[in-house]
mmCIF file of all heavy atoms in Angstrom:
data_model
loop_
_atom_site.group_PDB
_atom_site.id
_atom_site.type_symbol
_atom_site.label_atom_id
_atom_site.label_comp_id
_atom_site.label_asym_id
_atom_site.label_seq_id
_atom_site.Cartn_x
_atom_site.Cartn_y
_atom_site.Cartn_z
ATOM 1 N N VAL Z 325 19.366 44.938 -36.129
ATOM 2 C CA VAL Z 325 19.307 45.465 -37.487
ATOM 3 C C VAL Z 325 18.716 46.869 -37.433
ATOM 4 O O VAL Z 325 17.608 47.068 -36.923
ATOM 5 C CB VAL Z 325 18.455 44.558 -38.395
ATOM 6 C CG1 VAL Z 325 18.297 45.175 -39.781
ATOM 7 C CG2 VAL Z 325 19.086 43.177 -38.505
ATOM 8 N N VAL Z 326 19.457 47.840 -37.968
ATOM 9 C CA VAL Z 326 19.050 49.244 -37.896
ATOM 10 C C VAL Z 326 18.750 49.749 -39.308
ATOM 11 O O VAL Z 326 19.615 49.733 -40.174
ATOM 12 C CB VAL Z 326 20.140 50.121 -37.252
ATOM 13 C CG1 VAL Z 326 19.700 51.575 -37.205
ATOM 14 C CG2 VAL Z 326 20.467 49.617 -35.855
ATOM 15 N N THR Z 327 17.509 50.184 -39.514
ATOM 16 C CA THR Z 327 17.086 50.753 -40.790
ATOM 17 C C THR Z 327 16.785 52.235 -40.578
ATOM 18 O O THR Z 327 16.007 52.590 -39.690
ATOM 19 C CB THR Z 327 15.820 50.058 -41.321
ATOM 20 O OG1 THR Z 327 16.021 48.644 -41.329
ATOM 21 C CG2 THR Z 327 15.489 50.534 -42.728
ATOM 22 N N GLY Z 328 17.415 53.091 -41.391
ATOM 23 C CA GLY Z 328 17.203 54.524 -41.264
ATOM 24 C C GLY Z 328 16.572 55.111 -42.511
ATOM 25 O O GLY Z 328 16.889 54.691 -43.623
ATOM 26 N N VAL Z 329 15.648 56.050 -42.327
ATOM 27 C CA VAL Z 329 15.049 56.790 -43.439
ATOM 28 C C VAL Z 329 15.275 58.268 -43.154
ATOM 29 O O VAL Z 329 14.723 58.821 -42.198
ATOM 30 C CB VAL Z 329 13.545 56.481 -43.590
ATOM 31 C CG1 VAL Z 329 12.945 57.340 -44.702
ATOM 32 C CG2 VAL Z 329 13.331 55.002 -43.882
ATOM 33 N N GLU Z 330 16.119 58.905 -43.995
ATOM 34 C CA GLU Z 330 16.501 60.301 -43.800
ATOM 35 C C GLU Z 330 15.810 61.179 -44.835
ATOM 36 O O GLU Z 330 15.664 60.780 -45.991
ATOM 37 C CB GLU Z 330 18.020 60.446 -43.904
ATOM 38 C CG GLU Z 330 18.778 59.585 -42.897
ATOM 39 C CD GLU Z 330 20.280 59.616 -43.131
ATOM 40 O OE1 GLU Z 330 20.722 60.299 -44.084
ATOM 41 O OE2 GLU Z 330 21.018 58.961 -42.365
ATOM 42 N N ASP Z 331 15.387 62.355 -44.405
ATOM 43 C CA ASP Z 331 14.676 63.251 -45.311
ATOM 44 C C ASP Z 331 15.209 64.673 -45.170
ATOM 45 O O ASP Z 331 16.119 64.939 -44.380
ATOM 46 C CB ASP Z 331 13.163 63.215 -45.053
ATOM 47 C CG ASP Z 331 12.790 63.665 -43.638
ATOM 48 O OD1 ASP Z 331 13.426 64.613 -43.130
ATOM 49 O OD2 ASP Z 331 11.875 63.086 -43.045
ATOM 50 N N GLY Z 332 14.642 65.575 -45.950
ATOM 51 C CA GLY Z 332 14.992 66.991 -45.864
ATOM 52 C C GLY Z 332 13.826 67.809 -45.367
ATOM 53 O O GLY Z 332 13.679 68.982 -45.728
ATOM 54 N N CYS Z 333 12.988 67.213 -44.538
ATOM 55 C CA CYS Z 333 11.748 67.843 -44.086
ATOM 56 C C CYS Z 333 11.985 68.743 -42.879
ATOM 57 O O CYS Z 333 12.985 68.621 -42.173
ATOM 58 C CB CYS Z 333 10.725 66.775 -43.713
ATOM 59 S SG CYS Z 333 10.243 65.702 -45.074
ATOM 60 N N PRO Z 334 11.035 69.639 -42.620
ATOM 61 C CA PRO Z 334 11.055 70.388 -41.355
ATOM 62 C C PRO Z 334 10.966 69.403 -40.186
ATOM 63 O O PRO Z 334 10.617 68.232 -40.373
ATOM 64 C CB PRO Z 334 9.810 71.268 -41.446
ATOM 65 C CG PRO Z 334 9.471 71.317 -42.905
ATOM 66 C CD PRO Z 334 9.901 70.016 -43.477
ATOM 67 N N PRO Z 335 11.272 69.849 -38.970
ATOM 68 C CA PRO Z 335 11.215 68.955 -37.811
ATOM 69 C C PRO Z 335 9.846 68.270 -37.676
ATOM 70 O O PRO Z 335 8.813 68.885 -37.932
ATOM 71 C CB PRO Z 335 11.494 69.886 -36.623
ATOM 72 C CG PRO Z 335 12.271 71.014 -37.211
ATOM 73 C CD PRO Z 335 11.728 71.207 -38.599
ATOM 74 N N ILE Z 336 9.866 67.009 -37.311
ATOM 75 C CA ILE Z 336 8.621 66.293 -37.047
ATOM 76 C C ILE Z 336 7.916 66.998 -35.880
ATOM 77 O O ILE Z 336 8.544 67.293 -34.863
ATOM 78 C CB ILE Z 336 8.910 64.826 -36.688
ATOM 79 C CG1 ILE Z 336 9.528 64.110 -37.894
ATOM 80 C CG2 ILE Z 336 7.638 64.109 -36.244
ATOM 81 C CD1 ILE Z 336 10.017 62.714 -37.595
ATOM 82 N N PRO Z 337 6.636 67.301 -36.013
ATOM 83 C CA PRO Z 337 5.939 68.035 -34.945
ATOM 84 C C PRO Z 337 6.084 67.358 -33.588
ATOM 85 O O PRO Z 337 6.081 66.130 -33.485
ATOM 86 C CB PRO Z 337 4.474 68.033 -35.415
ATOM 87 C CG PRO Z 337 4.559 67.868 -36.903
ATOM 88 C CD PRO Z 337 5.755 66.999 -37.154
ATOM 89 N N ASP Z 338 6.202 68.168 -32.556
ATOM 90 C CA ASP Z 338 6.319 67.633 -31.197
ATOM 91 C C ASP Z 338 5.140 66.742 -30.843
ATOM 92 O O ASP Z 338 5.286 65.772 -30.092
ATOM 93 C CB ASP Z 338 6.427 68.773 -30.183
ATOM 94 C CG ASP Z 338 7.784 69.464 -30.233
ATOM 95 O OD1 ASP Z 338 8.738 68.861 -30.776
ATOM 96 O OD2 ASP Z 338 7.884 70.610 -29.737
ATOM 97 N N THR Z 339 3.961 67.077 -31.384
ATOM 98 C CA THR Z 339 2.786 66.246 -31.078
ATOM 99 C C THR Z 339 2.974 64.823 -31.584
ATOM 100 O O THR Z 339 2.610 63.859 -30.913
ATOM 101 C CB THR Z 339 1.529 66.859 -31.707
ATOM 102 O OG1 THR Z 339 1.772 67.102 -33.105
ATOM 103 C CG2 THR Z 339 1.148 68.145 -31.025
#
Side-chain angles (χ1 to χ4, degrees):
V325 175
V326 179
T327 308
V329 176
E330 302 173 359
D331 61 38
C333 298
I336 295 172
D338 287 341
T339 52

